[in-house]
Amino acid sequence: MKIGIPKEIKNNESRVGMTPAGVYELTKYGHTVYIQSTAGEGSGFFDNDYKKAGALILDTIGQVYGISEMIVKVKEPTEVEYALVQPQQIVFTYFHFASSEALTEAMIKSKSICIAYETVEDDEGTLPLLTPMSEVAGRMAIQQGAKYLEKPVKGRGVLLGGVPGVAPGRVLVLGAGIVGIQAAKMAAGLGAHVTILDINMKRLRYVNDVMPPHVVTEFSNEFNIRKHIKTHDLIIGGVLLKGAKAPNLITKDMLKEMRPGTVIVDVAVDQGGCVETTKPTTHEDPIYIIDDVVHYCVANMPGAVPHTSTMALTNVTLPYVIKLANLGWQKATAKDACLQKGLNIVEGEIVYDEIKEAFQI
Ligand SMILES: NC(=O)c1ccc[n+]([C@@H]2O[C@H](COP(=O)([O-])OP(=O)(O)OC[C@H]3O[C@@H](n4cnc5c(N)ncnc54)[C@H](O)[C@@H]3O)[C@@H](O)[C@H]2O)c1
């Protein structure tokens, strides 16, 4: 199969759909990989790395879309790309169709086969192509939180690990899912005291089994949250109710009960946030302060570490890319129930119920 990797043109997107390692694997199976010149630079992969792995470099995005039977990328096609998508072409990427009617209409019109990373779903109902980005964001949350706890950026002036003779900082993690567990692990590794809250006892039992004793689990309810916000330095929001807006576990009035310089990193900002005062920020201007509490609410945290994020993403997408290339989309999706859930739009027809519901089709 001819596989094309265009350069991402969405604002501030430095990830790329395939690493040189992916090119190497696909060429081993006899496939041809075309990559747009400089597509990998933002992630630290250069044209020469791709050439050595067996890719052919093309100058323009139009050439990549024009020649490829399958496009593998990261973000949904932008408006400029709508007309470049070809009939019967497989497009394998994050789409998030329900949030854009224009994109949905354009892909229906293109008669392409749109397979969305975010709806590939395994037997347990987890989303394997979203997990790595939650892992990145969870780990990064502590890195960012530790930075904003410093006094020059209006934090409490607390070193998370403490020092001999001085107690460590205290981190409160809301949600013991992918984000929460990765955050707890990083904070614990720095030596901080960690309290992690969830409403799912299975998750809390798991955390209790695998984490060191300075990671303490408690059931999530308003009483416990009100108690802990007074004594914790850094609060991580990692709560998710599938398909719904995140619940406001921290309300505006609670900010007054926190100590000045407390930092909130609300990772759940992309689902509305679990703090009432959360509003989305960007890497250029990541924080704001309300009632002396520092809020970090960047909606695309993994975008700041594209080298790691690209590798984390392509590690999990590559096996599906290989399957699609080896078998073609019909056989690959017929054989693999997880991949089949990724089918969103096929040759002009929406085949995923939630998208139909979103636009009342
Ligand atoms: N900002 C970013 O860049 C970024 C990146 C990746 C993920 N995210 C977001 O982070 C959020 C968490 O993602 P995840 O992959 O960890 O989800 P997940 O489903 O693995 O975990 C969510 C956890 O929240 C728990 N929960 C639900 N209600 C709760 C409550 N009232 N109190 C405490 N816990 C509660 C659930 O039981 C679950 O364990 C999502 O909104 C996701 O979209 C943001």
Side-chain angles (χ1 to χ4, degrees):
M1 189 181 275
K2 292 175 184 162
I3 300 150
I5 321 295
K7 187 179 170 105
E8 295 297 320
I9 48 181
K10 195 167 175 169
N11 197 13
N12 270 320
E13 182 54 69
S14 304
R15 288 174 292 175
V16 62
M18 197 173 294
T19 61
V23 173
Y24 186 81
E25 284 302 313
L26 284 161
T27 49
K28 271 200 321 203
Y29 286 98
H31 303 297
T32 310
V33 183
Y34 297 93
I35 181 155
Q36 188 183 347
S37 180
T38 73
E41 271 187 5
S43 297
F45 302 115
F46 299 93
D47 287 357
N48 224 9
D49 304 324
Y50 284 102
K51 253 193 227 162
K52 278 193 208 148
L56 300 170
I57 314 289
L58 296 177
D59 286 335
T60 67
I61 195 166
Q63 289 171 316
V64 175
Y65 275 94
I67 201 163
S68 306
E69 295 163 85
M70 170 158 65
I71 294 291
V72 180
K73 59 196 273 29
V74 180
K75 297 303 279 187
E76 71 282 358
T78 58
E79 240 179 284
V80 186
E81 288 163 289
Y82 290 173
L84 299 176
V85 178
Q86 312 278 317
Q88 278 85 50
Q89 191 170 50
I90 303 167
V91 186
F92 192 36
T93 191
Y94 287 123
F95 277 106
H96 298 287
F97 276 120
S99 62
S100 171
E101 197 163 2
L103 173 72
T104 307
E105 277 172 6
M107 290 304 107
I108 289 173
K109 206 172 145 203
S110 73
K111 302 257 189 287
S112 59
I113 293 101
C114 301
I115 309 180
Y117 291 166
E118 70 275 9
T119 66
V120 172
E121 188 177 332
D122 67 19
D123 306 338
E124 286 137 33
T126 58
L127 307 170
L129 306 190
L130 275 184
T131 300
M133 294 306 105
S134 287
E135 288 170 339
V136 170
R139 289 187 174 211
M140 229 183 112
I142 299 301
Q143 215 167 288
Q144 295 302 314
K147 185 167 84 194
Y148 288 106
L149 273 173
E150 292 172 10
K151 199 72 193 172
V153 278
K154 306 277 191 280
R156 281 199 75 224
V158 168
L159 183 65
L160 275 185
V163 287
V166 180
R170 295 169 72 85
V171 179
L172 176 66
V173 181
L174 303 175
I178 312 281
V179 165
I181 285 185
Q182 295 303 321
K185 187 175 165 155
M186 291 297 275
L190 285 174
H193 173 92
V194 182
T195 309
I196 183 162
L197 310 186
D198 204 301
I199 48 172
N200 180 338
M201 280 309 297
K202 267 194 192 163
R203 302 300 296 170
L204 293 182
R205 281 196 188 99
Y206 173 73
V207 173
N208 186 262
D209 278 346
V210 299
M211 294 279 179
H214 61 296
V215 177
V216 177
T217 59
E218 271 190 52
F219 198 77
S220 176
N221 53 41
E222 189 177 333
F223 185 87
N224 282 339
I225 293 171
R226 282 192 184 271
K227 175 178 72 181
H228 288 305
I229 55 171
K230 293 178 187 154
T231 56
H232 284 67
D233 306 293
L234 170 59
I235 300 168
I236 309 293
V239 165
L240 176 67
L241 295 176
K242 260 190 194 154
K245 198 200 156 293
N248 274 341
L249 300 183
I250 296 183
T251 49
K252 188 167 181 347
D253 66 293
M254 291 186 193
L255 298 186
K256 296 208 169 56
E257 298 185 28
M258 297 178 192
R259 293 170 299 185
T262 298
V263 175
I264 299 176
V265 177
D266 198 352
V267 185
V269 56
D270 59 342
Q271 300 290 336
C274 51
V275 178
E276 191 180 356
T277 43
T278 286
K279 56 176 196 277
T281 60
T282 61
H283 290 296
E284 283 76 45
D285 195 8
I287 61 153
Y288 57 92
I289 296 170
I290 299 177
D291 292 340
D292 294 324
V293 173
V294 180
H295 293 57
Y296 174 102
C297 309
V298 174
N300 67 330
M301 294 173 68
V305 288
H307 183 67
T308 304
S309 301
T310 288
M311 288 197 285
L313 176 64
T314 56
N315 282 343
V316 290
T317 54
L318 185 65
Y320 293 111
V321 174
I322 292 174
K323 232 176 229 181
L324 288 164
N326 285 352
L327 302 173
W329 71 269
Q330 287 101 330
K331 274 194 195 157
T333 55
K335 275 192 164 181
D336 186 326
C338 305
L339 187 58
Q340 193 172 48
K341 294 225 168 91
L343 281 173
N344 279 207
I345 296 179
V346 174
E347 294 171 349
E349 200 186 321
I350 300 176
V351 295
Y352 198 82
D353 286 346
E354 277 82 345
I355 307 173
K356 285 188 193 165
E357 278 162 27
F359 303 120
Q360 288 158 11
I361 293 170

Short mmCIF file of all heavy atoms in Angstrom, two decimals, residues 133-134 137 175-179 197-200 203 220 238-241 247 249 267-271 298-302, ligand 1:
data_model
loop_
_atom_site.label_atom_id
_atom_site.label_comp_id
_atom_site.label_asym_id
_atom_site.label_seq_id
_atom_site.Cartn_x
_atom_site.Cartn_y
_atom_site.Cartn_z
N MET A 133 -1.88 9.66 25.53
CA MET A 133 -1.90 11.12 25.74
C MET A 133 -2.29 11.45 27.19
O MET A 133 -1.80 12.42 27.76
CB MET A 133 -2.84 11.81 24.74
CG MET A 133 -2.37 11.71 23.31
SD MET A 133 -0.67 12.33 23.04
CE MET A 133 0.25 10.83 22.84
N SER A 134 -3.13 10.61 27.78
CA SER A 134 -3.45 10.80 29.19
C SER A 134 -2.23 10.49 30.05
O SER A 134 -1.99 11.13 31.08
CB SER A 134 -4.61 9.89 29.62
OG SER A 134 -5.82 10.35 29.09
N ALA A 137 -0.02 13.52 29.80
CA ALA A 137 -0.58 14.67 30.53
C ALA A 137 -0.49 14.45 32.05
O ALA A 137 -0.18 15.38 32.80
CB ALA A 137 -2.03 14.92 30.11
N GLY A 175 -9.33 11.74 40.98
CA GLY A 175 -9.49 10.75 39.90
C GLY A 175 -8.29 9.82 39.87
O GLY A 175 -7.15 10.28 39.77
N ALA A 176 -8.56 8.51 39.96
CA ALA A 176 -7.47 7.52 39.92
C ALA A 176 -7.52 6.75 38.61
O ALA A 176 -7.37 5.54 38.56
CB ALA A 176 -7.58 6.59 41.13
N GLY A 177 -7.75 7.50 37.52
CA GLY A 177 -7.72 6.88 36.19
C GLY A 177 -6.31 6.96 35.63
O GLY A 177 -5.33 6.99 36.39
N ILE A 178 -6.20 7.04 34.30
CA ILE A 178 -4.87 7.06 33.66
C ILE A 178 -4.10 8.31 34.11
O ILE A 178 -2.97 8.22 34.58
CB ILE A 178 -4.99 7.09 32.12
CG1 ILE A 178 -5.97 6.04 31.60
CG2 ILE A 178 -3.62 6.97 31.48
CD1 ILE A 178 -5.47 4.65 31.52
N VAL A 179 -4.72 9.48 33.96
CA VAL A 179 -4.07 10.73 34.34
C VAL A 179 -3.68 10.70 35.82
O VAL A 179 -2.53 10.97 36.19
CB VAL A 179 -5.00 11.95 34.06
CG1 VAL A 179 -4.51 13.21 34.77
CG2 VAL A 179 -5.11 12.21 32.56
N LEU A 197 -8.05 10.51 45.25
CA LEU A 197 -9.48 10.28 45.50
C LEU A 197 -10.17 9.76 44.25
O LEU A 197 -9.90 10.22 43.15
CB LEU A 197 -10.18 11.58 45.91
CG LEU A 197 -9.59 12.45 47.01
CD1 LEU A 197 -10.56 13.60 47.32
CD2 LEU A 197 -9.34 11.66 48.29
N ASP A 198 -11.08 8.83 44.42
CA ASP A 198 -11.91 8.35 43.30
C ASP A 198 -13.20 7.82 43.88
O ASP A 198 -13.30 7.59 45.10
CB ASP A 198 -11.17 7.25 42.50
CG ASP A 198 -11.67 7.15 41.06
OD1 ASP A 198 -12.88 6.90 40.87
OD2 ASP A 198 -10.87 7.33 40.13
N ILE A 199 -14.21 7.64 43.00
CA ILE A 199 -15.47 7.04 43.45
C ILE A 199 -15.51 5.56 43.07
O ILE A 199 -16.45 4.85 43.42
CB ILE A 199 -16.69 7.77 42.83
CG1 ILE A 199 -16.49 7.95 41.32
CG2 ILE A 199 -16.94 9.10 43.51
CD1 ILE A 199 -17.70 8.49 40.59
N ASN A 200 -14.49 5.13 42.34
CA ASN A 200 -14.44 3.74 41.88
C ASN A 200 -13.51 2.95 42.80
O ASN A 200 -12.29 3.15 42.78
CB ASN A 200 -13.94 3.75 40.42
CG ASN A 200 -13.84 2.37 39.83
OD1 ASN A 200 -13.75 1.37 40.55
ND2 ASN A 200 -13.86 2.30 38.51
N ARG A 203 -10.49 1.06 41.34
CA ARG A 203 -9.31 1.88 41.04
C ARG A 203 -8.53 2.15 42.33
O ARG A 203 -7.31 2.09 42.36
CB ARG A 203 -9.70 3.22 40.40
CG ARG A 203 -10.48 3.15 39.13
CD ARG A 203 -9.77 2.43 38.03
NE ARG A 203 -8.54 3.10 37.60
CZ ARG A 203 -7.66 2.54 36.77
NH1 ARG A 203 -7.87 1.34 36.28
NH2 ARG A 203 -6.57 3.18 36.42
N SER A 220 -13.84 9.61 47.09
CA SER A 220 -14.09 11.00 46.67
C SER A 220 -15.50 11.43 47.06
O SER A 220 -16.48 10.84 46.61
CB SER A 220 -13.91 11.12 45.15
OG SER A 220 -14.24 12.41 44.73
N GLY A 238 -8.06 15.06 37.46
CA GLY A 238 -7.97 14.00 36.45
C GLY A 238 -9.24 13.17 36.41
O GLY A 238 -9.19 11.96 36.24
N VAL A 239 -10.38 13.86 36.56
CA VAL A 239 -11.66 13.16 36.64
C VAL A 239 -12.29 13.06 35.26
O VAL A 239 -12.17 13.97 34.45
CB VAL A 239 -12.59 13.95 37.59
CG1 VAL A 239 -14.02 13.52 37.46
CG2 VAL A 239 -12.11 13.77 39.02
N LEU A 240 -12.94 11.95 34.98
CA LEU A 240 -13.66 11.84 33.70
C LEU A 240 -14.95 11.06 33.90
O LEU A 240 -14.97 10.00 34.50
CB LEU A 240 -12.79 11.12 32.66
CG LEU A 240 -13.44 10.85 31.30
CD1 LEU A 240 -13.70 12.15 30.55
CD2 LEU A 240 -12.57 9.94 30.44
N LEU A 241 -16.05 11.63 33.40
CA LEU A 241 -17.30 10.89 33.28
C LEU A 241 -17.49 10.71 31.78
O LEU A 241 -17.67 11.71 31.06
CB LEU A 241 -18.48 11.71 33.85
CG LEU A 241 -18.44 11.98 35.35
CD1 LEU A 241 -19.62 12.88 35.75
CD2 LEU A 241 -18.51 10.68 36.14
N PRO A 247 -17.49 16.73 36.39
CA PRO A 247 -18.22 17.34 37.51
C PRO A 247 -17.36 18.41 38.20
O PRO A 247 -16.15 18.26 38.28
CB PRO A 247 -18.45 16.16 38.46
CG PRO A 247 -17.36 15.18 38.14
CD PRO A 247 -17.00 15.38 36.70
N LEU A 249 -15.92 19.44 41.07
CA LEU A 249 -15.65 18.93 42.41
C LEU A 249 -15.12 20.04 43.31
O LEU A 249 -15.25 19.98 44.53
CB LEU A 249 -14.64 17.78 42.34
CG LEU A 249 -15.08 16.57 41.51
CD1 LEU A 249 -14.05 15.47 41.58
CD2 LEU A 249 -16.44 16.04 41.99
N VAL A 267 -6.23 18.95 34.53
CA VAL A 267 -5.99 18.24 33.27
C VAL A 267 -7.32 17.99 32.55
O VAL A 267 -7.39 17.95 31.32
CB VAL A 267 -5.26 16.90 33.53
CG1 VAL A 267 -4.89 16.21 32.24
CG2 VAL A 267 -4.00 17.12 34.37
N ALA A 268 -8.38 17.85 33.32
CA ALA A 268 -9.70 17.55 32.74
C ALA A 268 -10.32 18.76 32.05
O ALA A 268 -11.50 18.73 31.68
CB ALA A 268 -10.63 17.03 33.82
N VAL A 269 -9.55 19.82 31.85
CA VAL A 269 -10.05 21.05 31.22
C VAL A 269 -10.71 20.77 29.87
O VAL A 269 -11.67 21.44 29.50
CB VAL A 269 -8.91 22.09 31.08
CG1 VAL A 269 -7.73 21.55 30.32
CG2 VAL A 269 -9.40 23.36 30.43
N ASP A 270 -10.22 19.76 29.15
CA ASP A 270 -10.80 19.50 27.82
C ASP A 270 -12.22 18.97 27.89
O ASP A 270 -12.92 18.93 26.89
CB ASP A 270 -9.90 18.55 27.00
CG ASP A 270 -9.69 17.21 27.68
OD1 ASP A 270 -9.93 17.11 28.89
OD2 ASP A 270 -9.28 16.26 26.98
N GLN A 271 -12.66 18.54 29.09
CA GLN A 271 -14.06 18.14 29.27
C GLN A 271 -14.77 19.15 30.17
O GLN A 271 -15.69 18.82 30.89
CB GLN A 271 -14.14 16.74 29.91
CG GLN A 271 -13.49 15.64 29.12
CD GLN A 271 -14.24 15.29 27.84
OE1 GLN A 271 -15.44 15.54 27.74
NE2 GLN A 271 -13.54 14.75 26.86
N VAL A 298 -4.06 24.03 30.65
CA VAL A 298 -3.73 23.90 29.22
C VAL A 298 -4.48 22.70 28.64
O VAL A 298 -4.40 21.59 29.18
CB VAL A 298 -2.20 23.75 29.03
CG1 VAL A 298 -1.87 23.48 27.57
CG2 VAL A 298 -1.49 25.01 29.52
N ALA A 299 -5.19 22.95 27.54
CA ALA A 299 -6.07 21.91 27.01
C ALA A 299 -5.33 20.86 26.18
O ALA A 299 -5.86 19.77 25.96
CB ALA A 299 -7.17 22.57 26.18
N ASN A 300 -4.13 21.19 25.69
CA ASN A 300 -3.37 20.17 24.94
C ASN A 300 -1.97 20.04 25.52
O ASN A 300 -0.97 20.35 24.87
CB ASN A 300 -3.30 20.52 23.43
CG ASN A 300 -2.48 21.75 23.18
OD1 ASN A 300 -2.42 22.64 24.02
ND2 ASN A 300 -1.83 21.82 22.03
N MET A 301 -1.93 19.55 26.75
CA MET A 301 -0.65 19.44 27.45
C MET A 301 0.39 18.64 26.66
O MET A 301 1.56 19.06 26.56
CB MET A 301 -0.86 18.86 28.85
CG MET A 301 -1.65 19.78 29.75
SD MET A 301 -2.07 19.02 31.33
CE MET A 301 -0.48 18.90 32.10
N PRO A 302 0.04 17.49 26.05
CA PRO A 302 1.07 16.70 25.35
C PRO A 302 1.75 17.47 24.22
O PRO A 302 2.86 17.11 23.80
CB PRO A 302 0.30 15.50 24.78
CG PRO A 302 -0.91 15.39 25.66
CD PRO A 302 -1.26 16.81 26.01
N1 LIG B 1 -5.37 18.65 29.15
C1 LIG B 1 -4.85 17.71 28.38
O1 LIG B 1 -3.92 17.96 27.61
C2 LIG B 1 -5.34 16.30 28.49
C3 LIG B 1 -4.60 15.25 27.95
C4 LIG B 1 -5.08 13.94 28.12
C5 LIG B 1 -6.28 13.70 28.81
N2 LIG B 1 -6.98 14.78 29.29
C6 LIG B 1 -8.24 14.61 30.05
O2 LIG B 1 -8.00 14.16 31.37
C7 LIG B 1 -9.20 13.61 31.90
C8 LIG B 1 -8.91 12.27 32.57
O3 LIG B 1 -8.55 11.31 31.59
P1 LIG B 1 -8.20 9.80 31.97
O4 LIG B 1 -7.69 9.17 30.73
O5 LIG B 1 -7.40 9.73 33.20
O6 LIG B 1 -9.66 9.22 32.29
P2 LIG B 1 -10.00 7.86 33.07
O7 LIG B 1 -11.37 7.45 32.62
O8 LIG B 1 -8.89 6.88 32.95
O9 LIG B 1 -10.07 8.31 34.61
C9 LIG B 1 -11.05 9.15 35.12
C10 LIG B 1 -11.27 8.76 36.57
O10 LIG B 1 -12.14 9.74 37.18
C11 LIG B 1 -12.89 9.03 38.15
N3 LIG B 1 -14.01 9.84 38.64
C12 LIG B 1 -15.24 10.03 38.09
N4 LIG B 1 -15.97 10.82 38.89
C13 LIG B 1 -15.19 11.11 39.98
C14 LIG B 1 -15.40 11.88 41.15
N5 LIG B 1 -16.55 12.49 41.41
N6 LIG B 1 -14.36 11.99 42.03
C15 LIG B 1 -13.18 11.38 41.80
N7 LIG B 1 -12.96 10.62 40.71
C16 LIG B 1 -13.94 10.50 39.81
C17 LIG B 1 -13.29 7.75 37.42
O11 LIG B 1 -13.76 6.77 38.32
C18 LIG B 1 -11.97 7.40 36.75
O12 LIG B 1 -11.19 6.53 37.55
C19 LIG B 1 -10.15 13.50 30.69
O13 LIG B 1 -11.04 14.59 30.71
C20 LIG B 1 -9.23 13.60 29.51
O14 LIG B 1 -9.87 14.06 28.34
C21 LIG B 1 -6.54 16.06 29.14
#
